[in-house]
């Protein structure tokens, strides 16, 4: 029976591949099944790209939508046959057959390395052959992030620098920063190594305050091969003391003859190494007793009045707090009233205004009640026939003089 040219070629090719499986190690790596053919990229053959982390397993799939009993095979980037149907001529045991049927060739590649990266070819033996391409991308995760700081301890108000390095990754990593829950911006540099490997270093500069003491600075590595990859460092910030004077005794007013006890509370980093008491602009009472951070004065009198100051210092600086002492009379039951000159001025103004108003009212009152004034010459003028008679009447007087009145204002 005669065999067509194409059919005889398939048989020869199949026998050649079977024979290659028995060749010594490495011989099959030189096999190429495309001699004399021009391949086309057909829509009937489907595959997909694969991203795999170095050391893990990649799955390569060659799928045929409508197969007419054509042969499926898988080639490596060097176009060497990995699988011809369900036969593996390539002497690399990392390639294993997962599934084979008329419509699918599914192959696994374990322990993937950078050398496995490239374009794999799914080939369907039609006339002409059809091809589909699967690109395998090998991801290399970075090593553990290296976190370093310019100084381990920094004083408040100063600037510090922290660096985070992600070494040997593919592709290059992205580095993000957080201080507590606050995102920060660093300055990144990328160094390319071999085989498209990268080392990324990010530098973070920040000015610290005392509130930053104990706060975590976090370096977060963003890379497709890893998740939640980060390193953190807790800030150690030194700051000058915070000082507060507390009255231990008495609870109320400070009266003559009583005792006074004050405590100076100081907190800083490092802890204050020195606490001093003094009286501002005056001599300290001779019989005052200082014990550590406590001040005790007995038998108070008004000569002790003034401002008492507690000063605490450490390596960063010093700070102080003041207590104003006012000694009251022994029988005082409340604080003395302060003289408010503004209130006094207001009262005086009101009084002056009231007096002016009173003068104006009185003036208008007397103006309205002004009487009639009669001179001696006018007395008896009403009864006199002429001026001479009026004068005589005025000098001698008349009985009707009771009806004549004079009003003086």
């Amino acid at each position: 029976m005669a065999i067509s040219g194409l059919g005889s070629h398939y048989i020869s090719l199949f026998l050649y591949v079977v024979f290659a499986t028995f060749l010594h190690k490495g011989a099959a790596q030189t096999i190429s099944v495309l001699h004399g053919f021009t391949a086309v990229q057909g829509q009937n053959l489907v595959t997909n790209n694969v991203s795999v982390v170095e050391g893990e397993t990649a799955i390569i799939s060659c799928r045929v939508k409508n197969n007419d009993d054509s042969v499926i095979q898988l080639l490596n980037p060097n176009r060497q046959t990995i699988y011809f149907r369900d036969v593996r001529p390539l002497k690399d045991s990392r390639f294993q057959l997962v599934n084979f049927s008329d419509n699918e060739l599914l192959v696994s590649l374990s322990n993937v390395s950078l050398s496995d990266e490239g374009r794999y070819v799914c080939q369907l033996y039609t006339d002409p052959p059809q091809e589909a391409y699967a690109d395998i991308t090998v991801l290399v995760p970075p090593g553990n992030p290296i976190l370093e700081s310019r100084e381990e301890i920094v004083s408040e108000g100063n600037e510090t620098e922290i660096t985070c390095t992600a070494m040997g990754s593919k592709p290059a990593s992205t580095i993000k920063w957080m201080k507590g829950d606050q995102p920060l911006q660093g300055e990144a540099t990328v160094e390319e190594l071999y085989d498209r490997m990268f080392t990324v270093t990010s530098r973070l500069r920040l000015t610290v305050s005392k509130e930053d003491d104990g706060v975590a600075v976090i370096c977060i590595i963003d890379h497709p091969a890893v998740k939640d990859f980060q390193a953190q460092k807790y800030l150690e910030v030194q700051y000058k003391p915070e000082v507060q004077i507390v009255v231990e005794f008495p609870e109320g007013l400070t009266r003559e003859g009583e005792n006074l006890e004050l405590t100076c509370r100081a907190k800083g980093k490092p802890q204050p190494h020195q606490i001093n008491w003094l009286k501002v602009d005056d001599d300290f009472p001779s019989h005052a007793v200082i014990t550590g951070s406590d001040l005790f004065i007995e038998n108070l009198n008004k000569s002790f009045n003034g401002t008492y100051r507690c000063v605490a210092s450490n390596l960063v600086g010093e700070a102080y707090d003041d207590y104003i002492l006012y000694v009251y009379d022994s029988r005082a039951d409340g604080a003395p009233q302060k003289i408010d000159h503004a209130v006094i001025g207001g009262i005086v103004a009101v009084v002056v205004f009231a007096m002016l108003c009173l003068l104006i009212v009185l003036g208008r009152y007397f103006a309205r009640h002004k009487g009639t004034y009669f001179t001696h010459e006018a007395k008896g003028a009403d009864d006199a026939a002429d001026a001479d008679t009026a004068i005589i009447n005025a000098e001698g007087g008349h009985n009707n003089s009771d009806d004549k009145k004079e009003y003086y204002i």
Side-chain angles (χ1 to χ4, degrees), residues 62-77:
C62 300
R63 301 180 301 278
V64 181
K65 294 180 180 179
N66 299 301
N67 196 357
D68 54 357
D69 295 329
S70 299
V71 177
I72 307 173
Q73 68 172 346
L74 176 64
L75 310 177
N76 68 11

Side-chain angles (χ1 to χ4, degrees), residues 323-342:
Y323 172 78
I324 299 176
L325 173 63
Y326 185 88
V327 180
Y328 300 99
D329 294 335
S330 58
R331 292 175 292 179
D333 57 359
Q337 298 295 325
K338 295 182 180 180
I339 299 175
D340 193 331
H341 297 286

Side-chain angles (χ1 to χ4, degrees), residues 8-22 84:
S8 63
H9 181 79
Y10 283 159
I11 293 173
S12 300
L13 181 61
F14 177 73
L15 292 175
Y16 181 68
V17 171
V18 172
F19 174 75
T21 61
F22 298 99
F84 182 86

Side-chain angles (χ1 to χ4, degrees), residues 76-351:
N76 68 11
N78 295 325
R79 301 195 73 87
Q80 297 169 332
T81 301
I82 301 172
Y83 267 92
F84 182 86
R85 295 177 63 86
D86 58 349
V87 177
R88 177 172 55 85
L90 193 65
K91 298 301 182 181
D92 189 343
S93 60
R94 297 181 304 146
F95 290 98
Q96 293 294 322
L97 185 64
V98 178
N99 182 53
F100 172 73
S101 67
D102 291 339
N103 296 315
E104 183 180 50
L105 175 60
L106 196 62
V107 178
S108 67
L109 171 60
S110 60
N111 194 21
V112 176
S113 66
L114 280 174
S115 61
D116 297 319
E117 190 173 69
R119 172 165 288 187
Y120 289 73
V121 182
C122 292
Q123 191 176 78
L124 184 63
Y125 242 86
T126 58
D127 187 15
Q130 299 180 34
E131 291 184 352
Y133 306 105
D135 291 326
I136 291 185
T137 302
V138 179
L139 306 176
V140 181
N144 290 330
I146 301 173
L147 203 59
E148 298 176 320
S149 58
R150 189 171 59 194
E151 54 268 312
E152 293 299 321
I153 302 175
V154 60
S155 298
E156 64 174 334
N158 291 344
E159 183 184 76
T160 188
E161 179 179 292
I162 304 174
T163 61
C164 183
T165 303
M167 299 185 64
S169 67
K170 178 180 174 295
S173 301
T174 301
I175 298 179
K176 302 176 182 178
W177 291 95
M178 297 285 290
K179 186 183 76 171
D181 57 358
Q182 175 187 1
L184 301 177
Q185 184 66 42
E187 181 180 346
T189 57
V190 181
E191 179 185 2
E192 185 172 0
L193 307 175
Y194 57 91
D195 291 336
R196 290 172 291 172
M197 300 280 287
F198 301 90
T199 291
V200 181
T201 300
S202 179
R203 289 176 173 81
L204 176 68
R205 295 181 178 89
L206 69 159
T207 301
V208 298
S209 64
K210 64 182 179 182
E211 289 78 14
D212 294 325
D213 185 46
V215 175
V217 174
I218 307 170
C219 166
I220 303 171
I221 308 298
D222 187 9
H223 191 273
V226 291
K227 293 181 179 180
D228 299 327
F229 205 32
Q230 62 184 36
Q232 65 181 18
K233 172 184 175 58
Y234 292 94
L235 293 173
E236 187 169 353
V237 181
Q238 291 185 335
Y239 51 91
K240 65 182 182 180
E242 298 173 326
V243 184
Q244 180 185 18
I245 296 176
V246 178
V247 180
E248 302 290 350
F249 183 85
E251 294 184 357
L253 299 179
T254 49
R255 298 180 178 86
E256 286 185 303
E258 293 184 347
N259 300 331
L260 174 66
E261 183 178 355
L262 303 177
T263 297
C264 182
R265 296 178 181 175
K267 177 184 177 182
K269 189 172 184 178
Q271 277 296 113
H273 61 270
Q274 188 173 5
I275 295 178
N276 295 322
W277 283 96
L278 57 91
K279 188 177 182 183
V280 179
D281 299 330
D282 202 351
D283 294 332
F284 214 71
S286 59
H287 65 286
V289 178
I290 299 175
T291 306
S293 60
D294 296 334
L295 170 63
F296 181 77
I297 304 176
E298 63 179 358
N299 194 21
L300 293 173
N301 61 64
K302 293 189 177 183
S303 65
F304 297 158
N305 289 348
T307 301
Y308 291 80
R309 176 171 295 174
C310 172
V311 182
S313 58
N314 61 9
L315 296 176
V316 181
E318 69 176 28
Y320 64 87
D321 190 24
D322 289 341
Y323 172 78
I324 299 176
L325 173 63
Y326 185 88
V327 180
Y328 300 99
D329 294 335
S330 58
R331 292 175 292 179
D333 57 359
Q337 298 295 325
K338 295 182 180 180
I339 299 175
D340 193 331
H341 297 286
V343 174
I344 294 176
I347 294 174
V348 171
V350 171
V351 172

